[in-house]
């Protein structure tokens, strides 16, 4: 796999319930006001991302799609420094009431806290 590519390729995604279950079973958590990041090491040599964006937290599809877009963007831009981890990002209830700029700031904070913890 090319590390210089910024595409969100198929091998960078958690694709099935077995992949998600593996992360949910034995993950360490990093939380902030609107996101929960579950992380578990993998043996693949590259990171993978899964997203759980609940309808009860973001009522409208355009909101859920925007959140998924900004999370994938942050993952793609940081993938070279994320090592071999499977990650699942979940949204929390408070996300619906925050402005977009705050959500982006909290997203960046989440990835920064992850990098500090996994050095």
């Amino acid at each position: 796999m090319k590390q210089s590519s910024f595409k969100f390729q198929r091998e960078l995604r958690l694709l099935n319930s077995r992949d998600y279950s593996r992360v949910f079973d034995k993950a360490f958590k990093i939380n902030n006001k609107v996101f929960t990041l579950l992380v578990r090491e993998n043996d693949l040599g590259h990171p993978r991302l899964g997203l759980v964006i609940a309808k009860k937290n973001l009522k409208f599809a355009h909101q859920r799609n925007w959140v998924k877009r900004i999370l994938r963007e942050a993952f793609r831009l940081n993938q070279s420094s994320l090592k071999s981890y499977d990650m699942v990002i979940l949204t929390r209830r408070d996300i619906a009431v925050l402005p977009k700029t705050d959500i982006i700031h909290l997203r960046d904070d989440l990835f920064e806290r992850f990098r500090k913890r996994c050095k």
Side-chain angles (χ1 to χ4, degrees), residues 18-51:
R18 185 183 57 204
D19 293 338
Y20 279 88
S21 295
R22 186 181 169 280
V23 176
F24 281 112
D25 287 343
K26 293 184 180 177
F28 68 85
K29 294 181 185 181
I30 299 172
N31 295 312
N32 66 20
K33 188 174 183 180
V34 295
F35 298 113
T36 298
L37 175 64
L38 303 173
V39 182
R40 183 172 180 183
E41 285 191 61
N42 68 35
D43 299 327
L44 302 174
H46 59 83
R48 295 190 304 172
L49 177 68
L51 301 172

Side-chain angles (χ1 to χ4, degrees), residues 55-68:
K55 273 187 183 181
K56 71 179 184 180
N57 296 340
L58 289 168
K59 188 174 181 178
F60 299 107
H62 68 89
Q63 294 171 321
R64 293 189 302 275
N65 292 338
W66 180 80
V67 168
K68 288 189 274 189

Side-chain angles (χ1 to χ4, degrees), residues 3-20:
Q3 286 296 328
S4 61
S5 175
F6 288 107
K7 292 182 180 179
F8 191 51
Q9 300 163 346
R10 185 174 178 88
E11 62 263 12
L12 298 176
R13 299 182 224 156
L14 296 178
L15 297 173
N16 54 46
S17 61
R18 185 183 57 204
D19 293 338
Y20 279 88

